[in-house]
């Protein structure tokens, strides 16, 4: 059986972008997990993307798979794209190329010019082919990143549809394991996503699959999450790394130990 895989950033301008990635002078290690390296993107870098997703920052599973949005958040986003009929014509980048460390790490550096300058080089490269029809930002930091891009001189004539959506794991973050809070926050998120998707759906003229928009209900339903396609990950990664199972965590008795440890467990 032949396996699809992602070759990564092998063509310009992406080769130069990954060669020039910013270090700790731009991303201070007290606010970012620089020790795990930058993680750049997921999806098409060949100009075929129609939807650009702007996420926040990579988590533990992304540090292992070396592509962004592969964990819980990624599966929710993959399902969201499927609702738009987008199954492979997408590309995703994050607001931050390193994982945020600490509660306020991202907030403290939301306006850092060096971080924005590097991110804007990526956005310029991804938007240059002129084929992106819609942009989706996940969470308020990503929304601000998109607005910062729009304020640059590099913005072209094309103006894709835009939706600022609640971050896919915001309900889990605010609920702190309280099931009642989780259900309420999930309902609010899904309503927010329905409104955003209804706004951009008519502007997607080249979906991969023609399907009528089916809104979310009040909680996650069967089929709302979609598996990460094999062609999005580097060669040889096992299939379970693309599954919704929770396979990476950061254990550790002390913050320092947790920082330098990612536990990977093959799911049952
Ligand atoms: N993983 C990412 O890469 N980005 C997010 O925004 C969340 C999880």
């Amino acid at each position: 059986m032949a396996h699809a895989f992602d070759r990564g950033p092998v063509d310009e301008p992406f080769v130069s972008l990954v060669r020039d990635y910013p270090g700790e002078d731009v991303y201070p290690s007290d606010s970012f997990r620089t020790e795990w390296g930058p993680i750049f993107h997921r999806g098409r870098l060949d100009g075929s993307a129609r939807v650009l997703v702007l996420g926040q920052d990579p988590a533990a599973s992304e540090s292992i798979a070396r592509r962004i949005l592969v964990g819980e958040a990624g599966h929710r986003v993959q399902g969201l794209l499927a609702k738009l009929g987008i199954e492979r014509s997408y590309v995703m980048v994050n607001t931050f190329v390193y994982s945020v460390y600490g509660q306020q790490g991202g907030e403290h550096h939301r306006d850092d010019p060096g971080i924005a300058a590097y991110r804007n080089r990526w956005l310029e490269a991804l938007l240059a082919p002129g084929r992106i029809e819609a942009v989706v930002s996940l969470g308020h930091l990503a929304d601000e990143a998109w607005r910062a891009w729009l304020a640059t001189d590099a913005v072209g004539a094309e103006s894709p549809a835009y939706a600022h959506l609640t971050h896919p794991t915001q309900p889990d973050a605010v609920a702190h394991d309280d099931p009642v809070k989780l259900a309420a926050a999930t309902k609010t998120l899904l309503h927010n996503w329905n409104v955003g998707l209804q706004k951009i759906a008519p502007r997607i003229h080249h979906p991969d699959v023609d399907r009528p928009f089916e809104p979310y209900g009040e909680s996650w339903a069967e089929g709302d999450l979609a598996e990460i396609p094999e062609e999005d990950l580097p060669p040889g990664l096992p299939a379970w790394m693309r599954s919704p199972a929770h396979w990476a965590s950061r254990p550790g008795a002390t913050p320092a130990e947790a920082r330098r440890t990612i536990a990977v467990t093959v799911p049952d």
Side-chain angles (χ1 to χ4, degrees), residues 13 119-129 149 152 154-155 158:
R119 183 177 59 232
N120 286 340
R121 285 178 60 196
W122 269 88
L123 293 176
E124 185 173 1
L126 295 173
L127 291 158
W149 156 255
T152 66
V155 174
E158 67 285 341

Side-chain angles (χ1 to χ4, degrees), residues 163-184:
H164 165 209
L165 303 183
T166 303
H167 191 275
T169 52
Q170 182 266 4
D172 313 70
V174 298
H176 298 293
D177 291 330
D178 176 332
V180 177
K181 281 191 188 155
L182 182 62

Side-chain angles (χ1 to χ4, degrees), residues 83-139:
K83 283 198 181 279
L84 295 170
I86 296 291
E87 299 201 334
R88 71 173 306 277
S89 301
Y90 54 81
V91 66
M92 310 178 185
V93 286
N94 276 329
T95 303
F96 302 113
V97 290
Y98 295 97
S99 246
V100 168
Y101 181 68
Q103 291 278 316
Q104 295 300 316
E107 303 291 340
H108 285 154
H109 298 282
R110 60 207 280 174
D111 299 323
D112 285 13
I115 292 178
Y118 183 71
R119 183 177 59 232
N120 286 340
R121 285 178 60 196
W122 269 88
L123 293 176
E124 185 173 1
L126 295 173
L127 291 158
R131 287 165 63 104
I132 298 287
E133 296 177 332
V135 176
V136 170
S137 67
L138 308 174

Side-chain angles (χ1 to χ4, degrees), residues 48-52 84 86 89 126-127 130-136 158-163 199-208:
S48 65
R50 294 294 186 178
V51 176
L52 167 63
L84 295 170
I86 296 291
S89 301
L126 295 173
L127 291 158
R131 287 165 63 104
I132 298 287
E133 296 177 332
V135 176
V136 170
E158 67 285 341
S159 57
Y162 176 65
K199 181 170 124 191
I200 60 174
R203 297 274 302 276
I204 298 185
H205 300 298
H206 299 87
D208 300 314

